[in-house]
Structure formats: structure tokens, C-alpha cells
Amino acid sequence: MIPASARAEAGYDAWLRYAPLPKTMLTRVASVPRTVTLLGDSLVLRSARDELVRGLSSMLASPIASTTSLPTTSAILLGTLDHVRPVVPGAPPPMDLTADGFWLRTARVRNQPVLVITGRDERGVLYGVFALLQRVARGEEVSVLNERQEPAAPVRWINHWDNLDGTIERGYAGRSIFFESGHVLDDLTRVRDYGRLLASVGINGLTVNNVNANAVVITDGFIPQLARIADVLRPWGVALSVSVDFSSPRRIGGLETFDPLDARVAAFWKDRVEALYRAIPDLGGIVLKADSEGRLGPSAYGRTHADAANVIARALAPHKGVIFYRGFVYDNLMDWRDLKNDRARAAYDNFQPLDGRFDSNAVIQIKHGPIDFQVREPASPLFGALRNTNQAIELQITQEYLGQQRHVCFLAPMWKTVLDFDMLATSTSPGTPVRDLVSGRTFNRPVGGFVGVSNVGRDTTWLGHDLAMANLYGFGRLAWNPTISAKTIATDWTTLTFGHDPQVVETITSILMDSWPAYERYTGPLGAGTLTDIIRVHYGPGIESSERNGWGQWHRANGQGIGMDRTVATGTGFTAQYIPLVGAQYESLSSTPDELLLFFHHVPYTHVLRSGKTVIQHIYDSHYQGTQDAADFVARWRRLERLIDRERYASVLAKLEYQAGHAIVWRDAINNWFLWLSGIPDASGRAGRFPGRVEAESMTRDRYTNTAVVPWETASAGQAATCASGETCSARYQYQGSAGAFDIAVQFFDEDDGASRYSLFVGDKPIDSWIADGQFGSPSPNGHTSTRRTVRSVRLSPGDELRVQVTPDGLESGALDYIEITSSP
Amino acid sequence: MIPASARAEAGYDAWLRYAPLPKTMLTRVASVPRTVTLLGDSLVLRSARDELVRGLSSMLASPIASTTSLPTTSAILLGTLDHVRPVVPGAPPPMDLTADGFWLRTARVRNQPVLVITGRDERGVLYGVFALLQRVARGEEVSVLNERQEPAAPVRWINHWDNLDGTIERGYAGRSIFFESGHVLDDLTRVRDYGRLLASVGINGLTVNNVNANAVVITDGFIPQLARIADVLRPWGVALSVSVDFSSPRRIGGLETFDPLDARVAAFWKDRVEALYRAIPDLGGIVLKADSEGRLGPSAYGRTHADAANVIARALAPHKGVIFYRGFVYDNLMDWRDLKNDRARAAYDNFQPLDGRFDSNAVIQIKHGPIDFQVREPASPLFGALRNTNQAIELQITQEYLGQQRHVCFLAPMWKTVLDFDMLATSTSPGTPVRDLVSGRTFNRPVGGFVGVSNVGRDTTWLGHDLAMANLYGFGRLAWNPTISAKTIATDWTTLTFGHDPQVVETITSILMDSWPAYERYTGPLGAGTLTDIIRVHYGPGIESSERNGWGQWHRANGQGIGMDRTVATGTGFTAQYIPLVGAQYESLSSTPDELLLFFHHVPYTHVLRSGKTVIQHIYDSHYQGTQDAADFVARWRRLERLIDRERYASVLAKLEYQAGHAIVWRDAINNWFLWLSGIPDASGRAGRFPGRVEAESMTRDRYTNTAVVPWETASAGQAATCASGETCSARYQYQGSAGAFDIAVQFFDEDDGASRYSLFVGDKPIDSWIADGQFGSPSPNGHTSTRRTVRSVRLSPGDELRVQVTPDGLESGALDYIEITSSP
């Protein structure tokens, strides 16, 4: 156990810090009983009681007693409905609470004030405890309570894409907390602490391994290791589940086939599922990615996805297990030249015809948009098309295309655009928002809900960035209650994570709320996609990477215009996958919202948006605006300097400064590319002009040589200066402007393959020095690795020589893009 | 000595085959005396006599006697003016013949008919011999002769870019005939035979090593080796010269400087030049590339090009040696974003201000166009700007940007566009064509002329392609007399090389004459440059390689338009480097000829050319036309099957078929790129549509995997299928069309790094098999390596399975682009 106090400032305790309440708030919680009485006993109930004792004693700075007999004094009564009802006759609990639901009630028992925390089941009690603790932590009034809460859906799961070797697919916060070298880790302390975080926001399931699954995971040799993870999660009410390889019958089953209609294959799955349940009786179920991105699936035998799902569903059914079948099935070898081809159509085309053919314990797990977690997508039309099939929405907490937890990008607002989107699937009022379709409410499906893809790792902050934790928190909150606002989530999370100072809460909440719009502005505009390198890294700009290949993330930018024509009239016909009223909105250029324009239409750069701007000017303007937003985050954060702990202040500041620099890389790459491609200048004269910028390749270079950067738009002027291994290289520039104080930015490339040492001199005087030891997913100079270092308020006089010096390390090239000299504000 | 007869069909004897004349022609030469009398004696005169005996005896199929005393019978008299004049009093030779000039005269001596071959000097006699022999070989009438010929200029040199290690910069015909492993080859037989070829067309100088010179070449250890080459060339009147490294004083001279104004540096050059002349008394001189493309030069000390040239010129002057100072000086780190920057300006900007400051034995060697041997350039304005400085034109026999001797591209028509271009440098009539400026005629310069860059290698055909030899021949003919027509050169060369059959002469001459226009059509249009990869290979398409870097070969294509604005009004001001009347023509969009439009102007794709087509439609049309031209070369050549020797027929046919296939690679790359970039469709509907083509990546693939090709436009649909080393991969396609006979083209990538085995099957039946062992300058699948193999007249029925199978070799990827099935004609 890592004590909360020691960890608080490192981010490890996230929103469960239980910081002592400020004196001004203690009065509001004075009525909270100092005794906890647990009725009944179980692993989960004991977690609930211990958490309550821990939380209250810490926040109230007061000892909390614990009993198991009915109290004679004021107390908090903990127990399931069955245990609680007999002892609080005056305030009968709602016996129709649904699974995982809870009830918080102040009452009197034996004439003593009590606070009752009860639930349909043990998990309900635990969730009630966390609800009370978070009310207290937020400093809310708790003297009179009568609050009933039930989750929106039974499924509130997390998927991990962790590999057995300890790596994480799209992992940006260290190695796996579950696996290493093909085994489950011996020390599962972090898994236990992670289970606590998940439970605190109502998450009740966790799939531990990558959907690109290793077949070994369900072998007899491995199952006992899985069981150890399940044992650690069980006290938190988090059920383990596992991703499987559909070709397992052949790979590990001794069969020559994995045909789902073959009886031997069915027997294989039955046998493996039984083995799993023997070791993990409360296993949640199985996740399956088949016939997608090279994974084998039922198409190998001409079988359907329903055949594949059902063979496993039938093995799971006797154990009440569920199979999640991923809807992320598409052809990644599509002919890009055929303007009728459209990856966005794939989920619907694959699954809608099978509606009704999946067993009742099979769930289609559908990514929120029709492509792949881009910065802006419409809701997947499949949500409105499955009426007789269970569904769940897959949301990505992992910021795969959204800054990879190096950029702050709070996702709840983005998720809300989809969850709240009315698919008009029935004519009933008040409509059929996606949140009701996936929860099963609309069509009365027995299973359904929310799946979040998470990549927590061994980094102390779990996700690599303190602010990224708002996304894990937000996912849980929305899975429990998707009707709450993103702003509420941001405010609650900030208060729990950083405390009650109004300026702190207002600043961080507003940074969170502004972060996705900012990221969208400086990356991909108007629904065109994130415009990142979609082939491999998914991080920095890589505008042409989406084009002219089979992956189907096409934006179809050419010299005249940009956008995918997905209309029925002239395009791919994708809009017909929506219910007609919805489809009609997107079919028409005039009724498609600006922010999704290029997702649905191909238009000339000179097309005038609803905003009154042309598309091309919107591209230029939004990229300058987004970059300014990112710079503002730094300025806003700086005002918190003495209001929060030094550690997290410094850690987040460094990340925001990095982000502000990388936003410039994005801005310049995209603006330069579109300026070139369209041939249409920026009406404001900014794109392509960089006052104060001095290219490395035009500085006086000692041993530095010039190198073309690929793709060209990711380096200023398309080139960098690089330094051979074993050399020390420098680039010099004689300042000719007027005397004054200046900020000097050094734009360099921090490749993965070394930790080069850079120094900046004015004359002979060193003014900054740093080690480029970042990991941005690439060993080359490009938009992933391009990094800015800024030294502020440097005095310069005409004739001063600025010099950047580098000593490369490893295979790193010590690459330098430019320096930029701007007046200090 | 390699006997002509044994070599004839391998191309080694080139245009000096001396094939026995057909009987029908023997009567025309019946009057030629069968005795040769040599007056005087020297190495060169003996060469002349021996060549005459060899040529006449072979062509006339008759023994030729040789004497040194005045004949008593009919004879051919050979000797310099001084020797001849006394013995032919009745027909006094022109005593004012200039150096290297000759006179052919039939006369009577002692009442016997004689044929006099005389010259100002021994070389003139030798040239006269070759002139007579070529007249005889062409079957021309020679019974009455009175012909005086003098060269247009004193300098008719060849430059070789051979490195001492045996490689050749831009070598496409095997390794160096001069060097290997840092030494001169022991066996210089090929150098001697090469000297004979050069002499036969009047070339009188040869620079043996790369202008990117190794300093070692003028060390005491190396000079004796150079002397061995000079010894072999001397009998053919070809003077050796050498390229030097300007930093030699520091590299090999023990000095810490190479400042041309430093007395120790001047002493170094004097010492080295004296050492050279001690070993090679008839050394022609020195060639120098300085301050260019990384070569050190006088700028290191703030000195001028004149300072650099003169320090060496003064060392050479006492020996009558000449220094050629290359005008190819430019900044390869220019900022491409500055629309005022222009590499085309460089030669003029560097040298025009120095006019008159070069010593009288220094010559500025100027590339024919202002960029670098592109498929279409205007004449360099520097030709018109040097009035008090010697100049020479540098023409490139090496087809560096022009198909690298794998494509037939006869260059005389291109050279003529420049040589005949009137620079209007004076107001005199009949003008100042470039040929008169470079020869020194216009401004009465003492030295000047023609330098051809050649890359003959150890290939039996010398240049790797039988038809490429027309360029070596043509250079010599034009250097001697630049007023003759390209058609005359083509006809003469064809007759000498392939004989007298009228269909052979007509066909090959017309292929030669059509070849440059065809190459221009399927590569770079309208003066935009060759559109090849300009960074490294200079061979296949690489359209964007020129952009966004400092090399300055920019075409500035964007979504709206293309072209370099070099006008004074709105562009780089380059047109002002021409004499005003010439500049005015290029300054105006309306008076600039279509073929140079994009060299001088940036225009929208929709700009209408003088031809009435838009620029974009011209691009599409010309690329289809050029590809058709290349296909027609194959058809035309095939009609010669029984009219020429089998060896050269087959060898040239294979090259023309390769060229026709590679022309399709060019066509598709450029049309697809511009179609994408401009967004304007081909009015004829061809660009981007490929009926009958089946992409490898959409065939049924066994072990083949899909790979993106870079740059994308060099593979059909941007991708190829590649095969891992050690595998055998195949791609299958079930034919579904109607039954019939078809040509099946397999487009694959013949990388440099292996010799993979490909096979094509129909069902189980192998119908073709080949080894991809070509060397195209790249180890990757791209526009250099993309290669077409066509099997003709294959019968196919619906349901037939076509299969391409590959077993990669070495590091080669066995890459496959597509198959294409077309009806057999």
C-alpha cells in the first residue's frame, strides 16, 4: 500500500486524495457520524468500510471507529438492502434498486442520527461509499441526504490493450501494470490501486489484454496468472475479462480448424471457458476482435460475425458471461482511387444485416464514430441500426489520435457530442440519444453499455499527464450517468484532484473545457480527420499519410478542394446508413454543420462556411487560434503557481509548454501544406511567413549538415540541420535587430534513439542547456519529434552571436530546425 | 588490337566498322588509289596512314600498299602542308589552313592521279584521313575532290567524370576504362581504341578524371600513371588534361592555405604544372570545379573566381596550357520559400561581373542551359555576357537527366536549339548564335569551343546502348562544325553504324530524330524540368523531389498552377540577364514559346497555350503521346529484324521495349500526380483510369504483403506487393473477360540489391520467367526500378487463373506493382 499522503503530489492518488478539508468547509460535514457500522460481510463490503474509514479520517482529520453491531451512537450504516431494511424501519430503502444502484439516506435509528449507505448488491454499497466520500471531498452539504442512484447501463467496462510482454499498444505512460515478459507481474499493488480508482467512478469490468490477443492467454498455464489479477480486482467489484484470438482452436487447441460451426471448435471454446470460470468464478466475459486489421475471423470459413460471436456466447451463457464482439471491422486494402469506397460504411455494412442473429449474451462493441477515434466524427450510424442486438459504445480514454497524453485534451465534451446525439431511431419522445441506444434502454436489450479503452501504465501519474486522468474519471462518470454535463465532470474532477481554491477550480476546469476545441483547431479542421500520420505513430502531423493507401482515412485534399463526399447523390452513400431524418441533414451541404463538413462533403477551398469564412481561411485561422489557445493554457496555468503543490504545478507546466510548442509544429505543418496545395494565400498574411525565425540550414554551421525532412511540412522550410554521431556541431547566427529583451525558441528534434545534449549560447555565455531524451514514437526528425525549447527574457544587442550547440547521443541526429527570436511580452 | 570484323556486331567499333562496301557502291570508289604514300613521319602521321590502310582495305576488300617515297603510280599522298606543297605544284594547297584543318584534293603528280590529304598540322592530316574514309564508307563519290575543312573552334574536348577507384559519376556503361582501385589500369587497349573514335570526329582533348577531383591526381606518385594514358592517346592527336582539387595546396602541398593570392600557393601550382609537363609535354591543361556543390574554392578566402583561375592559368601559360574554369557555380542551400531566389541566375551573377579579369589562357566552361542539363532549357545568358573572357560550352553526352542510356534520346537536336540560338550579343549581321560566341569568333577570343561530358565505360557498346553512340559522334561533328543539321548527323551516323539499306537508314534516323521530343513528352513538359528525382538518381519520375529544398530546380507546382516566374516584372528578374531583345521575348507570357513557358512563367493549369490547349491538358496529352511514341519505336525497330545483324537488333530491341515500359511509368506518375494536385480531370478521360490493369495489392496474395511506395506516384495506386527474403510469394487473379489473345504486362520493381526470379503462369502453365538483375540506381520499389515485362499473344478464357510468382534474391523485395491485360493487336 502506498500511503495517500506520500503520493498525493505525484498524482498517484488521482481524484482519491482525501486531502484534509479546509477549516471553512469542516462545518458542512460536521454532522457526518464518526462511526462506521458494517452490516454483513464480504470482500467488497470490507473494501467499502475500509475506504470509508480511510477517506473520512483523512478528510475530517478525525479518528473514525468501525463496528459490526448496530450502533448506539450516531453512525454510518453500511450494508446491502437485505441487511439494512430491518434496521431502518422509519426510512424504508427502495427495494426496486437495480443492480449496482445505491441509496444514501440520513435517518434515525434507535433515536440516533444515522447515515445509511445501501445498495441492491455489495457493489452498490461500495459505490455509495465512494459517492459519500466524494460529496465530502467536494465540501458539499451532507447533513440531510436522500439520494438514490442507479447506473445507466449494466456494462461499464475498461479495455486494456496490454501485451503479455509488458508493452502496451498505444501506451504512453510506461509499461503494463499487469504483464512483463510473458507473465503476470508478481507485484500487483498497482492493479489493486487501479481497481480502487475504477470502483470509485462505478466501473465494474476490466479486460486485461490487447484485443490483438495472444492465444496463450487462455491456456492452462496462463489462466492461474489471470486469476491472480482477478483476485486483486475482486475486492473492488471489478470483474476481470479477457481478449481472445479467434484462431485459438488451431493455435493452441490442437485442431486444424477454427470454423465456428465446427462442433470440435464449439467444444474447444466450452472447454476453455469452463477452465476460466473454474479459476475465476466471477469472470465478466470475453472480448473478440476478428476479421479486422489482419486478425483471423469467421470469414476464413465463410461464416458470419454472428456465427463467431455465438459459438463463444454459448460457451459463456451457463456462467452468465458476456462476449463483446468488436464492430471495428473494415477492409484496410481498399482501392483509394474508387470514389465510392468508404471505410466509414464498414461497421454498418458488416453488422446491420446480422441484426437479431446474435445471442442474448453477445454485445457488439461499436467505436463512437465510423472511422477511428478522430478528433471529430459523427456518431456511428450502427448505433441506430441494431434493434435486436445488444450494443456497447467504445470510447477511447487513451488519447491515441488526440495528443497521446502529452497534450491536454479533455474528452468528455467530445464524447458528449456522440452520447447526446439523437439518432431518431424511433418516433418516441424524448428521442433516442446514443446513450440510450447503447445502454439498451431504447430497444429493451438485456445487456449494453460503455467500454473505455485505457492505457494506464507504470508512470506515477497513471496516464503520463496529471490532467489526462480527467478522462479516466470522466469515462466512469458518463458510463454511470451519461446525462451529466462535461463541465460538471471537469469541475468535480478538478476539485477532487486539486482542491477547493476557486481560482484553481475555475482555471483548471476552463483549461479542460477548452482543450478539445483547441486541439481540434490546431490539428484537423471541419471533420477532415486528425491529419496525423495515420500509418504508424498517430501523433504529429502527417497530412498525406492518409491518402493513396487502403486504410480509408482519406480526406481527399487536392489542389482544388478537400473532403470525402459521403452523400447518396454523388458520393459513397454513407449518409443513407442513418435514419432518413438524420441522413438528410448530412446529405445536404447547407444543413451539415461546419465542424463535420469535410466528413460528408468534398468542397472547394473557396467554399464559404456558415461562419462566413472560406474553408481555406478557416484552416489558416483555426490553426493560429488553436496555437494561441495552447499558449494561453501555459499563461493560465502559470497563475496557479502558488495555489497548488509545487510538484504537480511544475510537471503540468512542463507538459503545457511542450504542448504549446508542438501546437506550433502542427499549425505550421498544416498551414504550409495547404498553402502549397491550394495556392491560396492566407488573407491575414501569416501562413508561410515567420518573422524572427532563422532556419538552421541558413545559419553558419560548424559540422552540421542539411537534411531533408520527411514529410516536408513537418520541418520549417522542409529541412533540418543534422549532426553526425561522435561530433559536436553548432549553428551560429549574428543578431542584427535592435537591443532589448527577447524570448528565444529553439526548435529541435527529439528522436527516440538517443539523449543528445543541446546548449544555447549568446556569445560565449551559455544561457540554456537540455537533454533531448523524449520518446515520441519515431527515430527521425519529423512532426512527431519536433520539439520547442524557449528561453525567456534574454537581453540581445546588435552583433550578438547566438549559437546552438549539440552533442548527439546514440543514433540520434541532434537535429535542429530553427531558432525564433521574439520580443518578450 | 580487336579486329573490326569480330567486333562489328557487338557495337565496339561503333561508326568505324569499315564494313565491306556493297558491290553496287564499289564503282563509285573505284578511282581511289590502292597505294598510300606517307610524306614525313610522326606518331600521328603513322596513325593516319595505318587507319587509311586498314579502312580502305576493309571497305574495298582490296589490298592497300604503303610507301614512303613519292609514288610512280596512282596513290594517296599523306602529309602536312610543308611536305605536300613541294610535290603537288599543280594544285597548291591552301597555306592559310588553320590548326587542325585539312584539305582533300584529287590532282595529278608525275602524271599519275593522286589523292592528296594534307593539313596545317599532323592532326589535320589524320582528320583528313578520317574524312576520306567516312566518305568512302557512306558510299559517296570521291573521284573528284577539292575540299577544305577547318574546325569551328580550337577546343573540342571530352570531359570524363571517372573516379580513381574505377567508378564513374553518372556512369551507365560499366566501370572506368581508365582507372581501378586508385590506379590507372594496366591494359589501356580500350583507351587507345577510344582515342581513335574521338579522333575520327575531330576531338582533340580529353580530361580524364572527375571534376569532383581527387587531389592525389597531381602528386608525383600519380603523374607517371597519367603519362601512360597520354602516351596511348597521343597517336590520335588527343591531348590529355586533368581535373584538380582547388584545395590541393593544403591537401597535398603541405601548406595550411589554398588562398590563390598567396605566393606559396602560386608556387605550388607552378611546381605541379611543371611536374605534369615534364611527364606529359603535350598536356592540354587543367579543369577546375570550385565553390560548387561542396567543392572548396576561392570564396574560402574572399577571393574571386578570376583569382582562382588565374593562379593556375599563370602556371600553365609557359607551357601553352589552358585552364577550364567551370561556370557551374550556385548556392545549393537557397531558401525555396523566397520567390526571388533563382538558381538559373547563378552562372551569370557569379561570372558576368568578372568579365575581362581572366587571363587569356583561362576559359569559362558554361553548361548549355542555366540549370543542369534538363530536358529543355533556354541557352545560358552567360554566353552573351562574356565579351572579354574566353568561353566554352559544356554539353552532356552522358544522358544524366535524359534516360541514362537506357532510353534512346538523340541529343543533337537539343544541342542545336542552343548552338543556333541567336543571343543578339552584337548588332552585327548575321547575328551571334551561341556557336559563334563559344568558339570565340564573335568577340575574337583566342581560345574557346566545345566540351562534351562523356561516360564511356567497359560495356562493349561503350555507352551501354548502341544508339547512344550517336550522341558521342554527334558531339564531335558539332564541335567541328556546329552549323550542320542534326538530321545530317543522324543519317551519317546511321549509315556508318548500320549500313546502307535505305529502310534501315530511314528508320533509325527517324527514331533518333523523334527520340528527344518523345522523351520530353513523357517526362517534363513546357520547360518545367525533367521532373525526375533531382536529389540522387536523376532517372525515374520524382516530381516533388525538386521542391522545398535548396537545390533550386523548382517547378513550383501547387494546386493552382506551375512554373517559375523568372520575369523582371513579378519574378526573379532572370530575364534581365539576357540581352534586352532576347529578354523581352521571355519576359512576356505571350511571346515565350510554349516549350519554355514554365521555365519563365508561373501560370494556372487552365492557362491556354499557343497550341490552344490548357497547360493541364497539355500535360496529360503529351504524356500519352510520348508513351505512344516510345511504343512506336519498338514497332519501327521490329521491321528491321532481317535487315541488320541479329546481335544489335536484339540488344536494341530489348532496350526499346524496356524504354516503352518505363515511359508508361513516367506517364502514369506525372499524370496521376498532376491529376491529384490540380484536381482537374483529363478531358479525354485517360489519366487515372487503367482498363485491364489489376493491382498486385488487390490480387489474391500468397505471402506477398502490401507496401506503400515512395513517392506514391511512382507505383500504380501508390502501392506494391513485396515478398520477404527466403519466401516464394505469388499473386493470383482469375481472368473474367471474354476469350481471346491478349498481351499480358507484368509491372514489377527491379531493385539494385538482388536478382529475383519472377515467373508468370496461366493456370499451371508457365508462360514466362525472368531474372530481375537490373541496376537502376535504387534498392527500393519506385519510379527508377519500376519495370515492365510483356508476354504477347497469350490465349485466355474466362476463369483462367493468372499467377505471378517471385523468389526474391539478396535484399531485393520481389516487388510487384500490377498486371495489365490488353487485347493483342
Side-chain angles (χ1 to χ4, degrees), chain B residues 135-254:
Chain B
R135 274 180 168 275
V136 170
R138 293 198 302 262
E140 293 176 15
E141 187 59 63
V142 291
S143 54
V144 179
L145 287 174
N146 186 359
E147 178 178 346
R148 171 181 173 162
Q149 278 198 39
E150 289 161 307
V155 170
R156 303 178 307 278
W157 283 23
I158 292 283
N159 277 185
H160 283 267
W161 293 351
D162 291 31
N163 299 310
L164 307 192
D165 65 2
T167 61
I168 301 175
E169 184 162 329
R170 311 296 171 192
Y172 315 119
R175 296 175 70 81
S176 171
I177 64 170
F178 304 104
F179 305 114
E180 187 61 69
S181 308
H183 299 284
V184 169
L185 286 166
D186 288 336
D187 180 357
L188 293 175
T189 304
R190 286 198 66 133
V191 175
R192 187 196 56 197
D193 293 344
Y194 183 51
R196 171 174 166 257
L197 282 174
L198 297 180
S200 78
V201 287
I203 290 166
N204 61 354
L206 182 153
T207 312
V208 72
N209 62 314
N210 194 346
V211 288
N212 296 316
N214 188 325
V216 82
V217 77
I218 53 168
T219 55
D220 284 337
F222 205 85
I223 289 173
Q225 300 187 55
L226 289 180
R228 287 184 46 241
I229 298 175
D231 292 344
V232 171
L233 292 172
R234 189 170 294 113
W236 298 107
V238 176
L240 188 75
S241 53
V242 63
S243 296
V244 299
D245 177 345
F246 192 65
S247 68
S248 293
R250 195 171 71 184
R251 282 186 193 271
I252 59 166

Side-chain angles (χ1 to χ4, degrees), chain A residues 333 336-337 544 548-550 557-560 673 676-680 690 695 697 701 706 712 716-719, chain B residues 333 336-337 544 548-550 557-560 673 676-680 690 695 701 706 712 716-719:
Chain A
L333 301 172
W336 63 272
R337 296 166 306 174
E544 285 189 80
R548 297 175 288 275
N549 56 50
N558 64 16
Q560 304 297 311
W673 193 81
W676 164 69
L677 184 66
S678 73
I680 302 173
F690 306 100
E695 300 295 334
E697 54 273 18
R701 288 153 295 117
N706 290 356
W712 64 268
S716 194
Q719 291 173 85
Chain B
L333 300 172
W336 63 272
R337 296 165 307 173
E544 285 189 81
R548 296 176 288 275
N549 56 50
N558 64 16
Q560 304 296 311
W673 193 82
W676 164 70
L677 183 66
S678 73
I680 301 172
F690 305 99
E695 299 296 332
R701 287 153 296 118
N706 290 356
W712 65 269
S716 193
Q719 291 173 82

Side-chain angles (χ1 to χ4, degrees), chain A residues 320-469:
Chain A
K320 314 261 182 248
V322 179
I323 174 162
F324 286 77
Y325 197 95
R326 289 181 94 237
F328 188 56
V329 175
Y330 67 99
D331 174 9
N332 63 17
L333 301 172
M334 271 189 301
D335 186 345
W336 63 272
R337 296 166 306 174
D338 185 343
L339 297 176
K340 299 295 179 190
N341 280 339
D342 188 358
R343 170 167 161 184
R345 295 182 58 101
Y348 182 101
D349 285 346
N350 274 290
F351 289 92
Q352 189 278 335
L354 298 174
D355 187 27
R357 293 175 54 191
F358 290 87
D359 283 6
S360 63
N361 65 329
V363 181
I364 310 304
Q365 179 171 324
I366 306 167
K367 291 196 181 192
H368 80 258
I371 299 289
D372 187 18
F373 302 136
Q374 298 301 290
V375 70
R376 175 80 70 168
E377 296 190 42
S380 171
L382 188 56
F383 293 128
L386 296 182
R387 292 163 182 247
N388 299 299
T389 303
N390 302 318
Q391 55 176 283
I393 189 170
E394 181 175 311
L395 301 170
Q396 198 184 35
I397 297 157
T398 297
Q399 295 171 227
E400 176 177 349
Y401 289 93
L402 299 166
Q404 303 194 346
Q405 292 134 251
R406 301 179 192 103
H407 293 230
V408 57
C409 188
F410 179 53
L411 300 176
M414 184 181 85
W415 295 334
K416 288 286 283 181
T417 66
V418 170
L419 292 171
D420 293 348
F421 185 79
D422 191 346
M423 298 294 284
L424 303 176
T426 70
S427 55
T428 58
S429 179
T432 58
V434 169
R435 59 177 187 262
D436 290 347
L437 289 161
V438 301
S439 70
R441 181 173 303 185
T442 304
F443 294 115
N444 294 308
R445 298 300 311 167
V447 198
F450 304 81
V451 177
V453 178
S454 160
N455 63 349
V456 302
R458 294 181 208 168
D459 188 274
T460 311
T461 62
W462 296 97
L463 285 174
H465 191 316
D466 286 292
L467 303 189
M469 291 296 275

Side-chain angles (χ1 to χ4, degrees), chain B residues 529-567:
Chain B
T530 303
L531 302 186
T532 186
D533 158 32
I534 67 111
I535 303 292
R536 295 192 338 103
V537 189
H538 301 187
Y539 182 55
I543 311 169
E544 285 189 81
S545 66
S546 56
E547 303 307 287
R548 296 176 288 275
N549 56 50
W551 292 98
Q553 292 190 216
W554 309 317
H555 50 65
R556 299 206 178 279
N558 64 16
Q560 304 296 311
I562 178 172
M564 274 291 289
D565 183 352
R566 293 189 159 107
T567 65

Side-chain angles (χ1 to χ4, degrees), chain A residues 616-750:
Chain A
I616 189 71
Q617 195 57 41
H618 175 93
I619 291 173
Y620 299 140
D621 287 351
S622 65
H623 284 83
Y624 274 89
Q625 179 60 51
T627 305
Q628 185 57 52
D629 294 343
D632 287 347
F633 295 161
V634 175
R636 284 145 82 180
W637 187 264
R638 282 183 178 279
R639 289 182 215 118
L640 305 183
E641 182 163 7
R642 260 167 284 274
L643 303 178
I644 58 175
D645 54 282
R646 205 181 311 177
E647 293 82 354
R648 289 186 301 174
Y649 171 77
S651 161
V652 172
L653 177 62
K655 289 197 166 62
L656 292 175
E657 288 200 322
Y658 164 79
Q659 175 180 0
H662 199 229
I664 292 171
V665 175
W666 270 99
R667 177 196 74 192
D668 292 349
I670 291 180
N671 281 354
N672 285 342
W673 193 81
F674 280 101
L675 177 61
W676 164 69
L677 184 66
S678 73
I680 302 173
D682 172 12
S684 300
R686 299 153 304 182
R689 293 187 199 163
F690 306 100
R693 188 173 293 188
V694 184
E695 300 295 334
E697 54 273 18
S698 59
M699 293 169 77
T700 305
R701 288 153 295 117
D702 300 319
R703 286 175 298 280
Y704 255 132
T705 56
N706 290 356
T707 304
V709 170
V710 178
W712 64 268
E713 70 271 15
T714 61
S716 194
Q719 291 173 85
T722 56
C723 184
S725 168
E727 296 276 15
T728 288
C729 301
S730 62
R732 292 177 282 120
Y733 171 72
Q734 202 175 43
Y735 176 73
Q736 298 295 359
S738 53
F742 296 88
D743 292 351
I744 303 175
V746 178
Q747 196 78 28
F748 64 102
F749 295 91
D750 189 346

Side-chain angles (χ1 to χ4, degrees), chain A residues 79-127:
Chain A
T80 57
L81 287 176
D82 296 340
H83 287 84
V84 163
R85 185 170 51 162
V87 301
V88 284
M95 295 306 290
D96 59 344
L97 266 180
T98 54
D100 297 352
F102 63 84
W103 184 61
L104 304 182
R105 178 72 154 103
T106 45
R108 293 191 81 82
V109 170
R110 297 181 188 171
N111 220 19
Q112 293 292 333
V114 295
L115 199 171
V116 178
I117 304 179
T118 186
R120 158 94 276 156
D121 43 35
E122 298 166 348
R123 257 198 309 238
V125 178
L126 178 63
Y127 296 158

